[in-house]
Amino acid sequence: MKFDPVLFAKAIADDTRQRIMSECCCCWLSVNEIVEKVGFTQPTISHHLAILRDAGLVNIREEGKQTFYSLNQDHLAVCCGQVMFKFAPESETTINLKQIIQG
Amino acid sequence: MKFDPVLFAKAIADDTRQRIMSECCCCWLSVNEIVEKVGFTQPTISHHLAILRDAGLVNIREEGKQTFYSLNQDHLAVCCGQVMFKFAPESETTINLKQIIQG
DNA sequence: ACATTATATAGATAAACGTCTATTTGTCAA
DNA sequence: TTGACAAATAGACGTTTATCTATATAATGT
């Protein structure tokens, strides 16, 4: 369950995946709905969703034939925070963020 | 000067670059010092430093023959914040961060 | 001027990645 | 049980990327 900053960064380091993230940032979408919105083939979208899933960045809900995805905003925010703690420990923003989170 | 979340994510999405970032996170190092610490050839390190430079993630100081690099912690923190604002706008952490920065 | 040292750039190569088509798996309705 | 639909998986292919060796550029010391 340990945080892997390379896995996280690789997961978000692609234009198509960022478009998927934008589309299902704040709502649940089926794979087909994402396909229609993003404009690649269904296998390509499934491939990207698997990468986001492996990084823990999406919530998944199966419902009959369909599978719905939504972005896991909280985990994404945590990952960004971890990157800040690791690589920008002296930045004011990071120090303030740490105080918020820890109490 | 606009923020490009794909460029940023790609820049940090590599193990070697993250090792470089760790090494010169909080100090200035010459290219040769980074080469010794990270353990790849000098051209490989220069290649990665160029990618970090293009993403605005390093400060550069030329001094005679040598070039010193240090991680731009503030810009890194800003980029992480931008990713949070864009993809996790509803997360508590993001909302709190926004308040810190704006007020 | 020349040799030396530090860094950047060019070019080659192998591995990783993104996309596609084809197929498989699983669910539902008739 | 069959047919239709949704999603995942397999495999192929072209592009990008990370690394290396070789070379160029630039600064310093003799």
Side-chain angles (χ1 to χ4, degrees):
Chain A
M1 212 44 171
K2 201 176 169 313
F3 173 62
D4 180 342
V6 175
L7 181 71
F8 164 65
K10 279 184 187 291
I12 68 169
D14 178 78
D15 183 56
T16 303
R17 283 195 290 281
Q18 288 198 4
R19 282 169 65 192
I20 293 172
M21 290 163 66
S22 292
E23 291 296 345
C24 65
C25 165
C26 304
C27 62
W28 290 90
L29 292 177
S30 69
V31 175
N32 263 330
E33 287 171 324
I34 298 171
V35 167
E36 285 164 19
K37 285 176 184 290
V38 175
F40 284 107
T41 64
Q42 175 267 313
T44 294
I45 298 299
S46 280
H47 165 73
H48 288 301
L49 287 170
I51 291 170
L52 293 172
R53 166 174 37 80
D54 293 346
L57 289 172
V58 285
N59 305 118
I60 303 177
R61 200 185 74 221
E62 309 212 355
E63 207 164 292
K65 294 189 273 195
Q66 304 189 79
T67 307
F68 291 87
Y69 288 82
S70 75
L71 191 64
N72 187 339
Q73 293 191 43
D74 285 334
H75 189 242
L76 178 70
V78 167
C79 289
C80 288
Q82 293 287 330
V83 170
M84 290 169 71
F85 296 158
K86 175 156 191 179
F87 298 111
E90 298 170 338
S91 173
E92 272 304 307
T93 307
T94 306
I95 291 165
N96 289 330
L97 183 68
K98 196 168 250 171
Q99 283 190 331
I100 285 177
I101 289 171
Q102 289 177 343
Chain B
M1 213 45 169
K2 199 174 170 315
F3 173 63
D4 180 342
V6 175
L7 180 71
F8 165 66
K10 279 184 187 291
I12 68 169
D14 179 78
D15 183 56
T16 303
R17 283 195 290 279
Q18 288 198 5
R19 283 169 65 193
I20 293 172
M21 289 163 67
S22 291
E23 291 296 345
C24 65
C25 164
C26 304
C27 62
W28 289 90
L29 292 177
S30 70
V31 175
N32 262 330
E33 287 170 326
I34 298 171
V35 167
E36 284 164 19
K37 284 174 185 290
V38 174
F40 284 106
T41 64
Q42 175 268 313
T44 295
I45 298 299
S46 279
H47 164 73
H48 288 301
L49 287 170
I51 290 169
L52 293 172
R53 168 174 35 80
D54 292 347
L57 289 171
V58 284
N59 305 118
I60 304 177
R61 199 184 75 220
E62 310 211 355
E63 206 164 291
K65 292 190 274 196
Q66 305 189 78
T67 307
F68 291 88
Y69 288 81
S70 76
L71 191 64
N72 187 339
Q73 293 191 44
D74 286 333
H75 189 241
L76 178 70
V78 167
C79 287
C80 287
Q82 293 288 329
V83 170
M84 290 168 72
F85 296 158
K86 175 156 190 179
F87 297 111
E90 297 168 339
S91 173
E92 271 305 307
T93 308
T94 307
I95 292 165
N96 288 331
L97 182 68
K98 195 167 252 172
Q99 281 190 332
I100 286 175
I101 289 171
Q102 291 177 342

